């Protein structure tokens, strides 16, 4: 038998306060004194109170939920990104619904339709490979705010990301300063704006530093795919003395593959990643990487979405995180 839902009136009576005060506590209003808030929240927990989101939605025409769509969860970048989104949305009294598109535009469409059916207020979207340019406009046409993150397509929308061109430039200058002159680039296969920006940064950095282009090798974004790329990198016509990788996942996998091939990362071939995920300190040797601050990008994306929800007519805004080079043992000075 379903138990009757506890009401705000019952909480108020037990706490010795007004229903309006309990309502303010539920909505996390700063107008309630701290000792009163603590007492009300304790009684809410004791009575197992659950907020009636459906009723709140009818009153406010808002579900207090937002959807986040990412292309994969292999890369922990996206889980860190999500933590930043959730931090800001919790402050805004919103719940985040996460979905993995598996970089499939058809799967992405199914997710978006489900989000639409659940009445989410807005969406933070990292578009899947092959997404049509019209999608952000379609989402806006559904009456939902949209922010693109990390990748972008179509006409300008609110966007949060990192300066990939500057990041690659930092990595390349570091390698040249360490005496590396023949640099290869290990890329993902997925054709996205993030890939194009990194490759543009690679071309610019080669021209600015005078380093030699040892070639571009592509790999699937998996540990084994990255490991298997080592043989192709070592077989390049111009034998590289350094490899700059699309992200830390590829860099870590590559170093495992190099060791299998009898090539010692750091000693025989410098390796640099992009993102500076926690795994960068756990690889052998520890990985030099360019920090992109995924939680910071997530926070910026969430703030842009909150801004858009508050003012649907505001002009599009971009929030770009500046990169930082973190030097470790995978890129020592060449002797």
């Amino acid at each position: 038998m379903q138990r009757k839902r506890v009401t705000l009136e019952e909480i108020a009576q037990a706490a010795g306060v007004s229903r309006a005060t309990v309502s303010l506590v539920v909505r996390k209003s700063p107008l309630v004194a701290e000792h009163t808030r603590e007492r009300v929240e304790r009684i809410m927990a004791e009575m197992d109170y659950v907020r009636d989101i459906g009723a709140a939605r009818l009153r406010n025409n808002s579900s207090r939920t937002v959807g986040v769509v990412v292309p994969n969860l292999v890369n922990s970048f996206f889980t860190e990104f999500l933590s930043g989104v959730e931090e800001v949305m919790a402050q805004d009294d919103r719940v985040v619904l996460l979905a993995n598109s598996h970089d499939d535009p058809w799967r992405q469409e199914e997710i978006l339709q489900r989000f639409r059916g659940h009445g989410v207020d807005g969406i933070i979207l990292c578009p899947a490979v092959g997404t049509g340019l019209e999608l952000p406009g379609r989402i806006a046409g559904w009456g939902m705010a949209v922010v693109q993150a990390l990748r972008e397509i179509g006409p300008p929308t609110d966007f949060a990301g990192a300066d990939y061109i500057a990041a690659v430039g930092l990595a390349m200058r570091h390698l040249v300063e360490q005496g590396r002159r023949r640099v290869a680039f290990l890329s993902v296969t997925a054709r996205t704006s993030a890939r194009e920006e990194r490759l543009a940064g690679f071309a610019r950095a080669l021209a600015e530093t005078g380093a030699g282009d040892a070639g571009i090798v592509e790999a699937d974004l998996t540990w084994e795919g990255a490991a298997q790329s080592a043989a192709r990198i070592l077989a390049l016509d111009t034998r590289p003395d350094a490899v700059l990788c699309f992200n830390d996942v590829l860099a870590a996998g590559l170093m495992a593959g190099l060791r299998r091939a009898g090539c010692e990362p750091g000693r025989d071939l410098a390796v640099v990643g992009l993102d500076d995920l926690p795994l960068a300190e756990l690889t052998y040797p520890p990985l030099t990487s360019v920090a992109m601050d995924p939680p910071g990008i997530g926070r910026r994306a969430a703030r842009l979405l909150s801004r858009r929800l508050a003012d649907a007519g505001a002009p599009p805004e971009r929030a770009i995180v500046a990169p930082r080079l973190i030097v470790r043992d995978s890129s020592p000075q060449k002797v």
Side-chain angles (χ1 to χ4, degrees), residues 66-70 81-82 85 96-100 115 122-125:
V66 297
V68 177
V69 186
V70 298
F81 168 79
L82 178 66
V85 173
V96 177
L97 305 180
L98 172 67
N100 178 5
F115 280 168
I123 290 174
I124 296 174
L125 175 68

Side-chain angles (χ1 to χ4, degrees), residues 173-181 241-242 264-272 285-286 288 327-335:
R173 286 191 292 275
H174 164 70
L175 288 169
V176 171
E177 289 168 0
Q178 299 303 100
R180 310 290 168 165
R181 292 292 181 268
D241 57 11
E264 187 62 34
R267 185 192 66 191
D268 302 326
L269 188 66
V271 178
V272 175
T288 294
V327 179
R328 299 189 181 93
D329 296 343
S330 70
S331 60
Q333 187 166 14
K334 192 173 183 180
V335 293

Side-chain angles (χ1 to χ4, degrees), residues 198-282:
R198 284 168 166 86
L199 289 177
F202 183 59
R204 178 185 295 184
L206 287 172
E208 291 176 349
T209 62
D213 181 357
I216 297 171
V217 172
E218 295 183 345
D220 292 334
L221 187 57
T222 64
W223 301 111
E224 188 57 31
Q228 291 176 359
S229 71
R232 285 176 285 141
I233 285 174
L234 295 174
L236 288 168
D237 292 338
T238 300
R239 178 69 177 258
D241 57 11
V243 183
L244 175 57
C245 300
F246 180 93
N247 60 26
D248 289 354
V249 173
L250 290 189
L254 170 64
M255 290 200 294
L258 289 173
R259 285 194 297 274
R260 291 181 197 171
C263 178
E264 187 62 34
R267 185 192 66 191
D268 302 326
L269 188 66
V271 178
V272 175
L274 297 173
D275 288 346
D276 192 42
L277 301 175
L279 71 86
E281 294 187 279
L282 303 176

